[in-house]
């Protein structure tokens, strides 16, 4: 991992189109400002992982589930 | 064209019925083409079937069917990426984790699927400032309708 030291208000440039600026530091909380093209997805890592996990769970549903849904449709 | 599907077997579909996910979805970033197949005529459920992987099909539904008061602001970035000019072109889905028994089934309201039928573009949008989570029981809510 590349490690850089920056001060509040300073920026790092990633490639030609991405900038990350340190906006403020308070205790162990750091506020970052990110400029990136709109097709670049930016997420808090733990949230992205929770979506990944949820999608994996949803995809691993067994095949007999269709019948279950047909039965349950009547009770909705 | 013919495709092999997870739940419906071999189906004859139109090439133009596929929706493009530019970056796939989290966990399935290489899956870029899906088709939405109604479970059957009266069902609120659809299968979001991958074009390239026949075993990959998500069960999805219109979130408002189970969560009448569901709401969020679609970020401007996403509107641009999906080329949304008219709200009427959009369809909204939520991915379900179907459980046994069915009453344990949950909906991921934190990351809805937005489909723009006009541009044929879609995306699983991750909502940041939202009270919703990835696991809302659908039947519990339905009882309060």
């Amino acid at each position: 991992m590349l490690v850089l030291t920056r001060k509040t208000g300073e920026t790092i440039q990633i490639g030609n189109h991405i900038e990350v600026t340190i906006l403020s530091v308070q205790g162990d909380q750091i506020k970052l400002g990110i400029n990136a093209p709109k097709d670049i997805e930016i997420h808090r890592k733990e949230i992205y992982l929770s979506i990944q996990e949820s999608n994996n769970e949803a995809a691993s549903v067994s095949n007999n589930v269709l019948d279950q849904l047909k039965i349950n449709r009547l009770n909705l | 064209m013919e495709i092999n599907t997870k739940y419906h077997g071999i189906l004859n579909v139109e090439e133009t019925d596929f929706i493009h996910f530019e970056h796939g979805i989290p966990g399935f970033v290489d899956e870029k083409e899906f088709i939405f197949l109604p479970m059957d005529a009266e069902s609120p459920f659809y299968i979001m079937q991958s074009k390239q992987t026949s075993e990959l099909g998500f069960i999805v539904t219109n979130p408002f069917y189970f969560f009448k008061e569901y709401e969020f602001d679609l970020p401007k970035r996403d509107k641009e990426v999906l080329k949304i000019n008219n709200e009427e072109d959009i369809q909204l889905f939520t991915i379900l984790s179907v459980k046994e028994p069915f009453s344990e089934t949950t909906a991921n309201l934190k990351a809805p699927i937005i489909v723009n039928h006009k541009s044929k573009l879609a995306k699983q949008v991750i909502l940041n400032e939202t009270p919703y989570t990835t696991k809302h029981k659908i039947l519990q809510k339905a009882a309060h309708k």
Side-chain angles (χ1 to χ4, degrees):
Chain A
M1 184 188 285
L2 172 68
V3 179
L4 299 171
T5 303
R6 300 272 62 195
K7 291 178 179 158
T8 304
E10 292 182 339
T11 298
I12 58 169
Q13 178 86 30
I14 303 173
N16 292 327
H17 304 294
I18 301 173
E19 289 177 8
V20 181
T21 304
I22 313 300
L23 296 178
S24 69
V25 181
Q26 277 189 319
D28 65 352
Q29 278 212 319
I30 297 166
K31 200 173 262 187
L32 299 173
I34 302 160
N35 270 324
K38 57 182 185 292
D39 62 325
I40 300 277
E41 294 281 308
I42 303 164
H43 299 292
R44 292 177 177 90
K45 177 87 178 192
E46 69 278 11
I47 291 175
Y48 187 83
L49 291 177
S50 76
I51 305 300
Q52 234 177 21
E53 191 194 348
S54 177
N55 284 346
N56 279 317
E57 185 189 61
S60 65
V61 166
S62 68
N63 246 336
N64 61 17
V65 97
L66 189 69
D67 296 330
Q68 210 199 139
L69 289 180
K70 280 180 177 157
I71 296 160
N72 274 281
R73 178 164 60 88
L74 305 171
N75 302 326
L76 289 175
Chain B
M1 65 178 289
E2 276 192 353
I3 58 163
N4 204 353
T5 68
K6 182 171 181 179
Y7 297 103
H8 295 89
I10 292 173
L11 281 186
N12 213 335
V13 299
E14 297 294 327
E15 184 80 45
T16 50
D17 289 339
F18 286 95
I19 305 288
H20 184 70
F21 289 67
E22 184 64 32
H23 301 285
I25 64 172
F28 301 88
V29 293
D30 296 323
E31 300 285 348
K32 297 182 192 286
E33 305 287 332
F34 286 92
I35 186 168
F36 291 83
L37 304 167
M39 201 88 115
D40 62 56
E42 294 149 74
S43 171
F45 304 112
Y46 291 75
I47 309 294
M48 182 175 124
Q49 171 67 45
S50 157
K51 184 182 188 181
Q52 63 175 11
T53 310
S54 55
E55 320 82 72
L56 185 63
F58 296 92
I59 296 164
V60 302
T61 190
N62 174 351
F64 301 114
Y65 190 89
F66 295 99
F67 305 94
K68 266 188 160 169
E69 289 170 11
Y70 183 50
E71 62 173 356
F72 60 87
D73 288 323
L74 187 59
K76 196 168 162 244
R77 279 169 79 96
D78 296 316
K79 271 188 194 162
E80 288 175 20
V81 167
L82 294 174
K83 302 194 167 88
I84 296 169
N85 298 316
N86 189 343
E87 302 238 331
E88 286 169 13
D89 300 331
I90 307 177
Q91 198 175 7
L92 200 59
F93 293 101
T94 177
I95 297 183
L96 300 181
S97 290
V98 178
K99 300 279 171 54
E100 189 114 48
F102 184 74
S103 55
E104 295 299 308
T105 295
T106 57
N108 179 354
L109 297 185
K110 185 159 177 73
I113 305 272
I114 319 287
V115 177
N116 182 353
H117 284 289
K118 193 125 193 198
S119 63
K120 303 279 177 196
L121 296 173
K123 182 178 173 184
Q124 186 172 25
V125 173
I126 300 178
L127 303 175
N128 280 312
E129 313 307 325
T130 171
Y132 300 116
T133 73
T134 58
K135 290 182 200 310
H136 293 261
K137 279 192 190 175
I138 63 172
L139 290 191
Q140 213 173 27
K141 290 287 175 179
H144 293 293
K145 266 203 286 195

